[in-house]
Each structure stands twice: as C-alpha cells, then as structure tokens.
Amino acid sequence: MSFTGESKGFINYIYERYTNLRIKDITLVFEGQITHQVMKALTGLVEEQLDEVEDDKVLRRVYHVMVESLQNINRHAESYEYRGHPYPGMGLVLVAKNKERFQVTTGNIVENGHAEEIALFLGKLNSMDQDDLDDLYKKQLREGIVSPKGGAGLGFIDIRRKTGNNLDYSFVKIDKETTFFIFTSTISR
Amino acid sequence: METLLIEQTDDSPRIVLDPVDKLFEISGKSLPEDVLDFYQPVLDWLNDYRKEPDSKTIFNIRLIYFNTSSSKMIMDIFLIFEEMVEEGHEVLIKWHSHQKDEDMQEAGKEFEEMIAVPFEHLTYN
C-alpha cells in the first residue's frame, strides 16, 4: 500500500486487511470526524439495523464495543494533516459480520510513542484470562481516575473481557511523529 | 435539602434525589460526553446528604446502558454510600436489570463484590 501522492482517505489503511477477511457483510462503514454526536448517530444506526434481527445480547455487546471504541477516538485521536490542513478527531469505523461473529474495526491517528504504549497494553490484555481481566477492571475502577479527556482507562479492558475474544490491532507508520492505529474487536454471535 | 432532578437525555440518565418523598433513583442510559461535568452535581448533592441522611436510604439504579467512564462515576457514588454505612447509617442499593440483560445483572454483582453496602438485585421484563 502506498499513501504518497493524493490522499485516498483512511479507508485505504484497512482496505487490504478488509479484503483479506472473509467477512463481506457490512453493517456500517464511516470515515470522518468522530464527534460525540457522530458517535451517537452511528451507534444508533447500528442499534436500529440490528434490532429485531439480532440476538439482544450480541446487539448490546456490539453497541457497547462501538461506544467505547468511538469514544476512544473522540478523546484521543491526533489531528490528521493533509496539505497543511488539519483534520481533528478523524477516524474510521467499520462494522461487519458473518455467521459466527461481528467485527468492529476502528482506525485513527496516534503519536508514535502512544502507539507503543497501546501495543504493550493490548498485548498484555490478550495474554490475560477472564479472572485476571475482571481483577484488572476492578482495580482500575477503584483506583483509576477520570482523565481531563474524559476516559477512565477502562474501555479496552472491558471490551476484551466482555467479548472474551482477543483484540486485534496493527499499526501503519505515517511519518516521524504519527502512526495509524487499527483496532478490531470481535463479538461472537 | 432540596430535591435534585435531572431530566433524561439521549445520552444521560434521569436522576432524582428527593429526600422529602424518599426517592433516590438513576434511570435510563449513561454515556455523556463529559462524565465529570454530568455527575459532579450528583456527587456534590450526595456528599451534602451524607452529613445528615435519613436513617435508611434506598437507592435505585435502573440503567439500561452505561459506558465505562460512567461506571467509574457510579463507583464514586457507591463509595459515598460506603462511607454512610461506615458512619452508622443504613443504605440499600436496589440494582434493577432487564431479565435478558445478563451483562447488566453481572455488573450489579460485580459492584456488590467491591462495595461494603447491601445490594438487592431485581429483574424486570
């Protein structure tokens, strides 16, 4: 993949990965600024689409994973600059399904240093079993504080423990400062 | 103390803290953009109430959804109740969940494990 020259948008960062997946049934795809209002609109859309046709428990989990993932972008995404023009809070979300599972993929820009921290943390979460995850969640709930950005450091932990599935993540380096972070949660149906 | 009433929106719960009618309840959905901003008046009110509470306070949680930052604020509310219990007052948390919402039922049990305040778990259809 090449991102030099004309910008084709964030969707390109995941296009290759997406076409390699055997999931073709797209529930939602969106690229743009992820504001709080946009988060509510997108989660509402998916909720409406899946209501009546999807198992309640699965629907609730897809909804929750979307809320947490999109609020992460809303709070933490670095601004994306193209031709000297900044695009703050830009992100990508793709919700797709097959017979066995839903996948919620998000993409956004992070600082390189932050990318390393995220990779370490998500790797640690993947190596933990359910009891350890529950303990970590409770510890963070008791001891953590809500940051000025509004997060409580609980989102990734809760996605990992509620879905019971490994978190899938990868990074595409953009330049000296920034990296594109791709994060996929899997909800079993 | 004056009643605190916050009306429900599409991303924040309805809150009633009414010491006259002895009704204390949080209901609806909780995923506000700024949880600190939303919950601070609730925490302030409860910290005031804590100084001279009723002999028994029954607090109803009837949420259909809350995000993780809200769970942190719910925890902070429960920690005030824990202090009230330590100070010799009776507090009961009634945790209401939809019958089919196992995750909400689980969340109630998890809070109960973490907090030294009596819980009652109820389900509705």
Side-chain angles (χ1 to χ4, degrees), chain B residues 12-124:
Chain B
S12 62
R14 181 170 196 265
I15 298 196
V16 185
L17 301 173
D18 180 352
V20 180
D21 290 333
K22 300 188 192 308
L23 189 62
F24 304 90
E25 183 166 298
I26 297 184
S27 58
K29 270 177 143 179
S30 183
L31 60 153
E33 183 163 25
D34 187 338
V35 283
L36 290 174
D37 190 50
F38 180 79
Y39 280 99
Q40 198 55 55
V42 179
L43 295 170
D44 290 346
W45 194 98
L46 288 169
N47 270 318
D48 258 1
Y49 175 76
R50 186 195 133 194
K51 292 170 196 158
E52 276 180 87
D54 277 350
S55 55
K56 179 166 184 175
T57 304
I58 296 174
F59 196 91
N60 288 284
I61 304 270
R62 210 184 291 271
L63 288 166
I64 53 168
Y65 177 74
F66 59 89
N67 67 351
T68 56
S69 348
S70 298
S71 74
K72 177 68 193 160
M73 304 317 289
I74 295 167
M75 184 71 187
D76 286 353
I77 290 171
F78 289 171
L79 289 172
I80 297 175
F81 296 155
E82 196 171 68
E83 287 172 26
M84 282 165 58
V85 170
E86 279 165 18
E87 286 155 6
H89 306 288
E90 204 178 328
V91 181
L92 175 66
I93 296 166
K94 287 193 176 179
W95 186 274
H96 304 258
S97 316
H98 192 277
Q99 196 186 359
K100 284 184 180 169
D101 193 347
E102 290 162 32
D103 288 345
M104 189 57 78
Q105 294 162 25
E106 241 351 274
K109 285 175 196 150
E110 196 165 69
F111 275 120
E112 183 180 15
E113 285 167 23
M114 297 178 68
I115 301 285
V117 179
F119 266 69
E120 194 178 316
H121 301 273
L122 301 130
T123 56
Y124 58 88

Side-chain angles (χ1 to χ4, degrees), chain A residues 81-170:
Chain A
E81 280 208 26
Y82 177 63
R83 292 185 166 175
H85 199 86
Y87 294 89
M90 283 286 285
L92 169 98
V93 56
L94 175 88
V95 181
K97 67 172 188 286
N98 68 8
K99 272 186 184 163
E100 290 87 36
R101 61 191 185 271
F102 271 90
Q103 287 196 328
V104 177
T105 296
T106 55
N108 61 280
I109 307 274
V110 296
E111 282 175 10
N112 290 339
H114 191 205
E116 284 167 32
E117 285 170 32
I118 294 171
L120 274 173
F121 187 58
L122 296 180
K124 179 181 140 187
L125 293 180
N126 279 346
S127 72
M128 294 171 82
D129 65 18
Q130 198 68 39
D131 286 346
D132 288 343
L133 289 163
D134 289 345
D135 288 346
L136 181 64
Y137 185 86
K138 288 184 200 166
K139 185 173 184 284
Q140 184 68 16
L141 195 55
R142 256 197 182 280
E143 296 168 14
I145 52 157
V146 175
S147 79
K149 286 180 176 172
L154 292 163
F156 286 141
I157 309 172
D158 206 40
I159 291 173
R160 168 77 176 95
R161 73 186 193 128
K162 290 266 171 67
T163 63
N165 293 316
N166 268 9
L167 307 170
D168 185 86
Y169 54 96
S170 58

Side-chain angles (χ1 to χ4, degrees), chain A residues 5-141:
Chain A
E6 284 301 305
S7 168
K8 291 170 194 159
F10 285 5
I11 198 86
N12 286 277
Y13 289 91
I14 65 155
Y15 181 74
E16 195 176 286
R17 290 163 41 80
Y18 170 68
T19 49
N20 286 338
L21 291 172
R22 271 174 297 167
I23 290 190
K24 297 290 182 210
D25 191 351
I26 295 181
T27 306
L28 173 91
V29 58
F30 176 87
E31 181 193 330
Q33 196 181 354
I34 310 282
T35 61
H36 184 66
Q37 295 302 328
V38 167
M39 180 278 289
K40 284 196 287 184
L42 297 180
T43 51
L45 259 175
V46 168
E47 205 175 20
E48 199 176 292
Q49 277 189 54
L50 302 185
D51 192 31
E52 307 287 328
V53 295
E54 190 57 55
D55 178 70
D56 283 352
K57 189 171 171 177
V58 175
L59 167 54
R60 272 194 286 267
R61 287 184 178 171
V62 170
Y63 177 83
H64 182 54
V65 167
M66 282 187 74
V67 169
E68 294 297 330
S69 304
L70 294 178
Q71 286 193 323
N72 272 345
I73 297 180
N74 181 219
R75 289 175 184 136
H76 302 293
E78 294 297 328
S79 186
Y80 174 62
E81 280 208 26
Y82 177 63
R83 292 185 166 175
H85 199 86
Y87 294 89
M90 283 286 285
L92 169 98
V93 56
L94 175 88
V95 181
K97 67 172 188 286
N98 68 8
K99 272 186 184 163
E100 290 87 36
R101 61 191 185 271
F102 271 90
Q103 287 196 328
V104 177
T105 296
T106 55
N108 61 280
I109 307 274
V110 296
E111 282 175 10
N112 290 339
H114 191 205
E116 284 167 32
E117 285 170 32
I118 294 171
L120 274 173
F121 187 58
L122 296 180
K124 179 181 140 187
L125 293 180
N126 279 346
S127 72
M128 294 171 82
D129 65 18
Q130 198 68 39
D131 286 346
D132 288 343
L133 289 163
D134 289 345
D135 288 346
L136 181 64
Y137 185 86
K138 288 184 200 166
K139 185 173 184 284
Q140 184 68 16
L141 195 55

